[in-house]
């Protein structure tokens, strides 16, 4: 069987970085080199200021870095030296041409495959770690095959299921590892080679081996099912608000049915992150492509419901503040798409603040991990107004009390733990009256806040 001694990973992002750090930590005899075209990112991985914030990650990186974990911009060398190459590049939604706004943009995957084909002089196992549409391996094989120079390739699908904020614990203790490959003797051998890497720390019964296409499709399906649960409970939150039912009580009541289960039933201002929306849009595109319009419409509804939830939250703020927020300061707590990450991709914060800025609010944001530059770049990307106006209308604060001083309302967007222990009496004193709290995460103790004097509006909770 192919013994893996050198691994290369193309893409040093939220997936490539943590995944390879854990492989290097658990497999000290394997040299793991993570490469990227982004020199700034690679440089940051070599310091203690890692380019991504993830609890526990620095400890893992420090254990392996310089021993058998390396970060480099020398992509050619790392490819040449390795028996196994992971492709962990970004696959965002296409912003141009055919499939614009829906299909996954596979240009970075294609470039990586072409690079591997150009450089390789010995046989390689190429692993799809990025999330890809079903049957992408076919295109990768075609690209690799075209200029093979006698080199033999096996393509595996090994999607990543880690969630941001809990990446290290997810990687240390995964529910399962999925490996898909060709059901030929060579394909099965490649599957075994990758299995033996994970088997350093993952029990064999949790390593699922499948056909290539099943593995590729399972990743999109898993994300679609998870997001669907959030949209389902968010749809019920709207009904709760008009009927006086409490969405957390409903979620608890249904989640105790073991057939339903309790996870991913937390109603919120809407899901964000780089995966759910992108992957469902991709699924919808695939269904349309394969002429399955009913299936496409079914999954599209998950996104429609999520957009509705974000818009509804912002509209509720405007409506409650006497139908205008023009010139009013709104303090926003949290910009990241969930706690314990500095990632802001598709965060509800972007859409909620854009909506409020359209109504001429002054938004002041505090987030413990997100730099101001990311917030402005997120807003500017929407192109709703000139960058200079965003700069003028959105204030970024380093201190939560500063963000909320003289505000008419607080909007809780991210469920950072530190928001629970703020001095809410002081905040109340410093705010305009009536002082509103819009809790987009049902994070705070609403009863206590009402005692202080706040008017509290929460997701899926009717009027007092
Ligand atoms: P990312 O944007 O954080 O990182 C991707 C990296 O790839 C970037 O640093 C980029 O510079 C690099 N890159 C792009 N093209 C390259 C090339 N030709 N050569 C070398 N480097 C190149 O993305 P991510 O969040 O790590 O996601 C990567 C993939 O994993 C995506 O397909 C995503 O859907 C999937 N995924 C992400 C998560 C998550 O939580 N972020 C979870 C599971 C799966
Ligand atoms: C997701 C998948 O969970 C993970 O398996 C996959 O590999 C990548 O995509 P991620 O996007 O990092 O992970 O975080 P996740 O915990 O799934 O949260 C996604 C969004 O849903 C966040 O905005 C989160 O706040 C929201 N969410 C999650 C809810 O609103 N309610 C919930 O019950 C759970």
């Amino acid at each position: 069987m192919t013994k893996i001694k050198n691994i290369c990973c193309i893409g040093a992002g939220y997936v490539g970085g943590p995944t390879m750090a854990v492989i290097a930590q658990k497999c000290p005899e394997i040299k793991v080199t993570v490469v990227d075209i982004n020199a700034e990112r690679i440089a940051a991985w070599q310091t203690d200021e890692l380019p991504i914030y993830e609890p526990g990650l620095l400890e893992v990186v420090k254990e392996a870095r310089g021993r058998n974990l390396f970060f480099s911009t020398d992509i050619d060398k790392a490819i040449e030296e390795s028996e196994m190459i992971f492709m962990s590049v970004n696959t965002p939604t296409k912003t141009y041409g055919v499939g614009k706004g829906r299909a996954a943009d596979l240009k970075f995957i294609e470039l990586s495959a072409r690079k591997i084909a150009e450089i390789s002089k010995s046989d390689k196992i190429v692993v799809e770690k990025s999330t890809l549409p079903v049957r992408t391996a076919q295109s990768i094989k075609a690209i690799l095959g075209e200029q093979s120079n006698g080199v033999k390739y096996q393509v595996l699908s090994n999607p990543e299921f880690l969630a941001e904020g809990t990446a290290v614990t997810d990687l240390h203790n995964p529910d399962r590892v999925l490996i898909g490959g060709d059901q030929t003797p060579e394909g099965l051998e490649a599957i075994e080679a990758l299995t033996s890497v994970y088997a350093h720390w993952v029990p064999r019964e949790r390593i699922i081996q499948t056909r290539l296409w099943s593995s590729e499709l399972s990743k999109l399906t898993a994300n679609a099912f998870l997001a669907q649960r959030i949209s389902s409970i968010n749809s019920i939150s709207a009904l709760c608000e008009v009927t006086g039912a409490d969405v957390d009580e409903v979620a608890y009541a249904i989640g105790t049915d073991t057939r339903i289960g309790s996870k991913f039933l937390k109603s919120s201002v809407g899901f964000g992150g780089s995966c759910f929306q992108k992957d469902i849009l991709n699924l919808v595109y695939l269904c349309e492509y394969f002429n399955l319009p009913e299936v496409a419409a079914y999954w599209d509804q998950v996104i429609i419901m999520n957009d509705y939830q974000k818009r509804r939250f912002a509209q509720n703020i405007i409506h409650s503040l006497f139908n205008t927020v023009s010139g009013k300061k709104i303090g926003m707590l949290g910009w990241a798409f969930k706690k314990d990450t500095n990632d802001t991709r598709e965060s509800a914060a972007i859409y909620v603040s854009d909506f409020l800025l359209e109504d001429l609010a002054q938004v002041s944001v505090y987030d413990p991990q997100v730099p101001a530059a990311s917030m402005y770049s997120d807003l500017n990307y929407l192109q709703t107004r000139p960058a200079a106006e965003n700069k003028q209308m959105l204030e970024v604060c380093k201190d939560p009390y500063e963000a909320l001083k003289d505000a008419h309302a607080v909007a809780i967007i991210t469920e950072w733990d530190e928001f629970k222990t703020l001095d809410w009496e002081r905040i109340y004193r410093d705010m305009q009256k009536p002082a509103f709290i819009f809790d987009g995460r049902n994070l705070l103790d609403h009863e206590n806040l009402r005692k202080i004097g706040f008017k509290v509006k929460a997701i899926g909770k009717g009027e007092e």
Side-chain angles (χ1 to χ4, degrees), residues 160-162 164 219 264 266 268 271-272 337-338 441:
E160 184 48 59
F161 294 102
L162 69 80
E164 290 179 26
K219 176 63 197 177
F264 270 71
K266 183 76 188 152
S268 67
F271 60 74
F337 81 98
K338 64 185 281 198
R441 294 286 181 170

Side-chain angles (χ1 to χ4, degrees), residues 112-125:
S112 305
R114 288 189 189 281
K115 192 73 173 162
I116 296 169
E118 176 199 328
I119 300 297
S120 298
K121 296 192 187 71
S122 55
D123 295 352
K124 308 283 180 201
I125 297 173

